Amino acid sequence: MSKNNVPNWQTLAVHGGTRRSIYGEMSEALFLTQGFMYESAEQAEQRFIKCPDDEFIYARYGNPTVRMLEERMAGLEGVEDGFATASGMAAVSGTLCSILSAGDHLVASRALFGSCLYIVQNVLPRFGVEVEMVDGTDLEQWQRAIRPETKLVFLETVSNPMLEVIDLQAVGEMARQVDAMVVADNALATPVFQRSAERGADVIIYSTTKHVDGQGRCLGGIVLGSRAFIRETLEPFVKHTGGALAPFNAWVMLKGLETMSLRCRHQAAVAREIGRMTENHPNVVRTYFPMLESHPQFDLACRQMTAGGTVVTLQLKGGKKEAFQFINALKLVKISNNFGDAKSIITHPATTTHQRLAAAERKKLGILDSVVRVSVGLEDQDDLIADLKQALDVIDS
Ligand SMILES: *Cc1c(COP(=O)(O)O)cnc(C)c1O
């Protein structure tokens, strides 16, 4: 592919990174192998000195199926390279630990996924990293926190579960002034709806467990960025600490990429309709969805994203009792704690994903007992709206 003849996004999602074996298979091959054979002792020696892109040593270092996923996703994100990991958290922890050393200063937005919070607040300080948390939507707080010794800025571009949108361009400019790297966890924005690299992120992380798989089967993650960062900083850390992605999971994710934008666009459109319905329901106090006019950062969301994502968060009337009443009344929507699945999922963050947080911290993040998160799947729109509506009607407060 020549530089000025790059195919469009959806074409890359189907063909990008494909490596064919001598058999010319149409569908991506699953290379279920740990090791790779050498023609001679000399060849083995050479490969250990410098391993070219299309040669492999050991599956913890790289594997042809995994490599296809890395190259396809790097192409979709518009960056030079990627390294796939065993889960989204292996990507997050690998990235942060490969960059930061004792004495470094990290600024992170407070509204992080529970496990990301654990890394930032419990793990990194044990190794001497100074951590400062800010309200990600408040640019003045970012401005105050980012200082000349700041090494890294970490944020979720759309936060979970309250769907706050962070102004990546503004935070990126502040970080660049002090040469700090910006690491963006883009799970909720999805690879489809936001070009984070264009907006100032140096490193983009996905839990491919979510929309890339898209059908709730495999765990996976990926770190995307410049070739220098991926190969010189990230790869040595991840390949030696062991967070490699299994080839089978990579294969599932590769096939997932082919249909990801079709699925996500449909899910996002249905999510918006669900948002509209809930906004007008008497038992809903507030609906959170980035692409509804009622969202506090609607303008920013429109600038930064091409759709609002596949998750809708609701603040219901009442408290935990009413939230549980609603959840238990759902018939089609299943009770679980994932998102980005073909099956719609309802989550009560306060008692599950965010249970570990102190009540005061939850309150600060807006995660009230009356808040529920709806991950919109691929069921029929009318059926989903009917199920959510009948469950909302059940609430008696
Ligand atoms: C799910 C998720 C992760 C972790 O991904 P796993 O694949 O479950 O390890 C990290 N960050 C965000 C924002 C997530 O939603």
Side-chain angles (χ1 to χ4, degrees), residues 1 11-18 28 68-69 71-73 254:
M1 260 172 248
T11 304
L12 281 177
V14 175
H15 291 286
T18 300
E28 295 76 1
M68 286 193 256
L69 176 68
E71 287 184 354
R72 187 170 294 179
M73 285 204 71
L254 267 170

Side-chain angles (χ1 to χ4, degrees), residues 98-101 103-107 147-153 175 178-182:
S98 70
I99 299 171
L100 294 166
S101 301
D104 284 343
H105 181 240
L106 162 75
V107 182
R147 33 184 225 244
E149 59 271 32
T150 304
K151 182 81 174 275
L152 194 153
V153 166
V178 298
D179 281 330
M181 282 181 86
V182 177

Side-chain angles (χ1 to χ4, degrees), residues 83 98 229-242:
F83 198 90
S98 70
F229 168 73
I230 295 294
R231 294 301 146 195
E232 288 157 32
T233 303
L234 193 270
E235 180 191 310
F237 184 90
V238 178
K239 80 180 183 188
H240 294 304
T241 52

Side-chain angles (χ1 to χ4, degrees), residues 86-90 92 112-113 115-116 154 156 158 160 185-188 205-210 218-221 338-339 373:
S87 67
M89 283 321 301
V92 171
L112 294 179
F113 178 70
S115 300
C116 295
F154 178 57
E156 273 170 38
V158 177
N160 174 23
D185 181 337
N186 224 15
L188 270 135
I205 295 175
Y206 289 103
S207 163
T208 56
T209 309
K210 311 288 164 53
C218 296
L219 286 180
N338 199 10
F339 64 85
R373 186 187 75 189

Side-chain angles (χ1 to χ4, degrees), residues 109-123 133 354 356-357 361 365:
S109 59
R110 193 174 287 121
L112 294 179
F113 178 70
S115 300
C116 295
L117 265 184
Y118 180 80
I119 305 287
V120 165
Q121 295 187 317
N122 299 58
V123 178
M133 309 293 284
H354 292 71
R356 203 178 58 82
L357 298 187
E361 185 67 14
L365 295 172

